[in-house]
Amino acid sequence: MMKKTIFTLVLTAISFSINAQTIFGKWENRDEETNKVDSVIEVYEKDGKAYAKIVEITNKKRQKAVCDKCSGKRKNNPILGMNILTGLSKDGNEWSGGKILDPKNGKEYKCYIKLDGKDKLKIRGYIGFAAFGRTAYWHRKN
């Protein structure tokens, strides 16, 4: 009985540590000036690629906001529920080859993402080369 309990505890601990080492799950995006959470983004896997969508907007007045600066099929669609990260493929310890949308300005950028510790996700959006871009960090939602 004791061995079975210890074995179960070890398996649980292993599954938690494996879970914590993944890009998948819910992440908080924080306002750069106030450091307050402005949205929650869910990173998920589909057909071996990484995607992310906005699943929560904390500002009640912005919850029905649409992407009026977006183009194409995203134009004037709700930001809540919108995919903002599309088609990233795993390459070593980072995911790259996809695009990220900034709903504030409607622009899409090439990007890569990678874990920066178990509870912090580095997102690098850029035009052309990764050296010319901007980095943001999302924090794992508890």
Side-chain angles (χ1 to χ4, degrees):
M1 180 70 176
M2 183 71 164
K3 282 184 181 179
K4 195 173 188 180
T5 304
I6 291 171
F7 180 72
T8 304
L9 287 172
V10 169
L11 274 182
T12 304
I14 289 170
S15 71
F16 275 120
S17 71
I18 289 169
N19 242 1
Q21 299 301 313
T22 179
I23 64 164
F24 302 111
K26 291 186 180 175
W27 297 89
E28 296 174 338
N29 182 52
R30 297 183 181 161
D31 182 278
E32 289 175 13
E33 293 167 19
T34 65
N35 201 36
K36 289 189 173 150
V37 176
D38 62 13
S39 60
V40 175
I41 295 121
E42 183 174 11
V43 179
Y44 63 96
E45 190 172 6
K46 180 179 163 192
D47 300 326
K49 296 191 183 250
Y51 296 85
K53 64 183 171 185
I54 298 174
V55 294
E56 185 181 327
I57 296 173
T58 56
N59 181 340
K60 302 271 185 242
K61 294 176 186 161
R62 300 270 311 140
Q63 289 180 344
K64 293 195 185 324
V66 296
C67 196
D68 55 354
K69 293 180 180 164
C70 286
S71 59
K73 54 187 173 189
R74 288 188 176 131
K75 178 118 180 114
N76 294 322
N77 279 339
I79 293 171
L80 186 61
M82 184 175 282
N83 270 312
I84 60 164
L85 201 61
T86 55
L88 288 120
S89 300
K90 189 161 177 51
D91 182 14
N93 66 347
E94 73 179 37
W95 291 73
S96 59
K99 295 196 172 177
I100 188 163
L101 168 76
D102 183 344
K104 290 180 180 141
N105 65 19
K107 293 183 180 168
E108 265 192 328
Y109 304 94
K110 293 179 182 176
C111 76
Y112 73 83
I113 62 175
K114 66 189 257 180
L115 284 173
D116 184 8
K118 67 181 179 108
D119 292 328
K120 195 172 174 184
L121 191 62
K122 176 182 180 179
I123 299 94
R124 179 86 180 156
Y126 57 93
I127 297 171
F129 300 99
F132 304 105
R134 189 172 141 242
T135 301
Y137 292 93
W138 295 343
H139 303 270
R140 192 177 300 279
K141 182 170 172 61
N142 294 329

